[in-house]
Amino acid sequence: SWDGTYGAIQMINLNKLEQLHELDHEAYALWCHDIALIKRLVNAISKAKNPPTEIFKEFKRYYFPDYLCKTNPKLYVDPHQEFRDQYDFADHLIYAISKVIDIERSYPFNRYPLYLDRFIERVTEFGLHRMMVLDRKALSYEVIRRLNDCIYEIYLDIKSLRAKTELKRVRDKQRRQVKSANEYIDDLFIRHSRLLVIRLDFGYGEYADSSLEQLCGHREQLLQYLRKKHPSKALVGYIWKMEYGFKKGYHIHCMLFFDGAKVQQGITHAQLIGDYWNKEITQGDGNYYNCNAKMDDYKYCGLGMVSHHETRKIDNVKRASMYLTKHDEWIELLHYGYQYADAHDGDDLDFDDSIMQHTPITKLRVFRTGQLGELLPRRGRPRYTDGLVHDSVHGLDDDQDE
C-alpha cells in the first residue's frame, strides 16, 4: 500500500464521485470555488513575513463575502491574489471554514493536496468546522482565540521544511514549463512570418468510460492526424497539457500552431479537428471545446492569426499558453502519489471494493511541446525555412516526469 518512491496509493470513492456528478453546474462551480478559495487563504498565510497571531479581534463583526449574496456570483478565484486587508481575509476564512464539511462530504480522493490537507486538519483539530456565524454577531473570545491559533498552526505547517520543499518543487516545475512554452513560441515565430494559433480542449462525455491509458492513446492518434491527415498539412507546432477534473475526468488542453501562409480559417479548422476527435478517434464518446469560436470572451486573446512583428499579440499568445503550464494537483495526486503527510496506517486501507477504486501510480509526462527541426537560412530572404515538427512521445513507456 506504500510505494517508497511515489507515496501512498491513491484511491477514489466512487459514491462521492457520483455525488459530484449529480451536482448541477452552479453547485459544482461553487464547490470548486470553495477549494480554490482555501488555496488562496493558505497562500496568503504562507506569505506572511511574521507569524499571524491576531487576525481576529474582539468586538469586531465578521461577514461572509459580499459576492455570495449576488444572484450570479463571480466564482473565479486567483489563488495568488492578495486580500484587501486582514478583515477581508478574515471574512473569507470564516466562509471557507463553514464549507469544510461540504467539501469533505463530496471529495472523492482519499488524500488531499498540501494546502487542503493542512487547512482541513487544523480547522477540524480546533473544532471550527461546525462553527456557525450566520447571525453576524461579534465572535466570542474563545472562538477568536481558536481562530487565531488555527491560522498560526497552518502558518507553522506551511513553513516546515517538508512543506517548503514540496511547494518549491511545484513552483520550479511551473517555471520550467512557462520558460519552455515561451521559448518554443519564440522559436516558432523565428521560423514563420505568420502563425494561425488554435486552442482546443479535448475530453469525453459524462457517461464515457475513460482512463489515462485511453487518453494517451487517443492523444497519439490526434497528433498523427494533425501531422499527416488534416487537410491543411500546415501544422508546425503544438503544446499540450493533460489534466484530470472531478466531473470532466481526463482531458487535454491543446494549443496548435499552423503555417499562416497555408491556412487562415481558425474557427473552421478547429471545428474539423474537434469533429475528428469526436467521430473518428473516440467513436462518439468524446467532446471538445473550440476556444477560437469564443475569442471575444478573452481579455488577452492569443488566438487567431499572428504575425512575427506583432509583439503585443505574441505576448498574448504566451499569456494564453500559461493556462497550459499551471500546476494540476489532481492528476499528480492520482498518478504520482505524492503527499505531504506520512503514509496512512492499516485502518485507512480497509475499504469496500464496491465503492473504492485503486488508481495506478504512474510516471508520466503531463506537459509537452513539439520539437523543432534544425534552423536553416533561406537564400534571398530575411526569414527562415519552415521548421519540422517531431515528437518523441510514443506512449506511456516513453513518458517522463516534467
Side-chain angles (χ1 to χ4, degrees):
S1 62
W2 177 261
D3 185 294
T5 304
Y6 297 110
I9 289 177
Q10 183 63 274
M11 290 179 288
I12 298 179
N13 185 308
L14 300 181
N15 284 350
K16 290 186 175 183
L17 191 62
E18 182 63 26
Q19 289 176 19
L20 277 182
H21 287 172
E22 291 175 355
L23 294 179
D24 60 31
H25 177 75
E26 291 183 1
Y28 178 70
L30 182 61
W31 189 84
C32 292
H33 162 275
D34 297 340
I35 293 178
L37 175 60
I38 291 175
K39 188 172 188 176
R40 183 185 174 199
L41 289 162
V42 175
N43 279 344
I45 294 172
S46 70
K47 292 177 182 177
K49 294 181 180 179
N50 300 308
T53 56
E54 296 184 357
I55 298 297
F56 286 87
K57 300 182 182 297
E58 287 188 85
F59 312 116
K60 167 68 179 171
R61 293 175 182 267
Y62 296 94
Y63 307 91
F64 280 177
D66 291 340
Y67 62 80
L68 293 170
C69 302
K70 298 178 181 178
T71 304
N72 296 305
K74 183 180 179 182
L75 295 178
Y76 170 75
V77 174
D78 179 357
H80 303 288
Q81 181 183 358
E82 296 183 357
F83 293 94
R84 292 193 305 272
D85 51 39
Q86 73 179 69
Y87 301 113
D88 184 41
F89 170 88
D91 288 345
H92 282 83
L93 181 72
I94 288 177
Y95 167 76
I97 287 174
S98 75
K99 304 301 289 187
V100 163
I101 292 178
D102 289 339
I103 291 172
E104 288 188 304
R105 184 182 295 118
S106 300
Y107 189 83
F109 295 171
N110 69 313
R111 301 183 75 82
Y112 296 113
L114 171 63
Y115 65 90
L116 198 54
D117 178 74
R118 295 296 85 203
F119 186 88
I120 290 180
E121 180 170 324
R122 291 305 184 185
V123 165
T124 304
E125 176 186 339
F126 284 93
L128 296 168
H129 57 302
R130 297 187 183 278
M131 181 182 69
M132 299 299 292
V133 292
L134 298 179
D135 55 4
R136 298 191 175 190
K137 293 180 180 178
L139 302 177
S140 69
Y141 171 79
E142 174 61 23
V143 171
I144 289 173
R145 183 189 63 80
R146 282 189 284 151
L147 284 165
N148 286 329
D149 287 349
C150 179
I151 295 170
Y152 178 72
E153 291 298 327
I154 293 173
Y155 176 85
L156 294 181
D157 288 342
I158 299 301
K159 291 297 183 180
S160 70
L161 178 60
R162 295 175 71 187
K164 287 195 291 187
T165 299
E166 174 58 33
L167 292 172
K168 183 178 184 301
R169 180 191 69 81
V170 170
R171 287 194 298 266
D172 289 348
K173 179 177 180 180
Q174 185 165 3
R175 288 192 190 103
R176 289 197 306 271
Q177 291 179 347
V178 170
K179 183 174 182 289
S180 175
N182 287 345
E183 291 177 348
Y184 182 68
I185 290 168
D186 285 337
D187 285 343
L188 284 171
F189 279 102
I190 288 175
R191 287 164 166 79
H192 303 275
S193 60
R194 287 190 303 165
L195 290 174
L196 178 65
V197 185
I198 290 175
R199 248 293 306 273
L200 282 159
D201 299 334
F202 300 98
Y204 300 93
E206 183 176 356
Y207 300 103
D209 185 15
S210 62
S211 67
L212 175 69
E213 290 75 16
Q214 182 184 58
L215 180 71
C216 290
H218 288 166
R219 180 198 66 206
E220 287 306 304
Q221 292 181 47
L222 176 66
L223 293 177
Q224 288 296 322
Y225 163 75
L226 291 169
R227 295 188 194 106
K228 300 177 180 180
K229 298 179 181 179
H230 184 63
S232 72
K233 298 291 192 298
L235 180 74
V236 296
Y238 54 80
I239 303 171
W240 56 254
K241 171 74 176 295
M242 287 198 303
E243 291 186 353
Y244 178 86
F246 293 118
K247 290 192 81 172
K248 293 173 65 176
Y250 294 102
H251 55 278
I252 308 175
H253 301 287
C254 276
M255 181 170 277
L256 307 173
F257 302 89
F258 291 86
D259 186 345
K262 298 179 180 179
V263 59
Q264 289 82 38
Q265 301 298 322
I267 296 176
T268 301
H269 281 275
Q271 185 174 345
L272 284 173
I273 297 166
D275 289 345
Y276 189 85
W277 168 268
N278 283 357
K279 297 174 183 177
E280 302 296 331
I281 295 179
T282 66
Q283 298 294 303
D285 287 338
N287 58 34
Y288 73 94
Y289 183 78
N290 182 352
C291 299
N292 286 63
K294 302 287 185 178
M295 288 170 55
D296 293 340
D297 294 346
Y298 297 95
K299 182 177 180 181
Y300 303 102
C301 182
L303 305 178
M305 191 67 69
V306 183
S307 297
H308 70 92
H309 58 80
E310 294 178 302
T311 306
R312 182 173 296 180
K313 282 190 176 182
I314 293 175
D315 287 342
N316 286 342
V317 173
K318 293 177 180 179
R319 282 176 182 261
S321 74
M322 288 185 68
Y323 186 80
L324 280 67
T325 64
K326 66 182 178 68
H327 178 241
D328 178 24
E329 57 260 17
W330 313 128
I331 202 165
E332 269 212 338
L333 277 171
L334 275 171
H335 297 289
Y336 285 84
Y338 85 92
Q339 185 50 261
Y340 166 80
D342 291 332
H344 284 187
D345 57 33
D347 292 339
D348 289 321
L349 298 175
D350 182 18
F351 60 90
D352 182 351
D353 281 328
S354 65
I355 62 170
M356 298 297 288
Q357 175 178 297
H358 282 289
T359 64
I361 300 299
T362 306
K363 191 176 183 181
L364 77 159
R365 183 182 288 272
V366 297
F367 170 85
R368 189 68 187 255
T369 66
Q371 295 182 0
L372 297 170
E374 183 180 1
L375 184 62
L376 298 173
R378 178 181 294 173
R379 290 184 180 179
R381 295 189 61 186
R383 302 295 300 167
Y384 294 99
T385 57
D386 294 349
L388 299 178
V389 177
H390 305 283
D391 190 357
S392 60
V393 179
H394 297 291
L396 285 175
D397 292 339
D398 293 329
D399 285 344
Q400 298 180 9
D401 181 17
E402 178 62 18

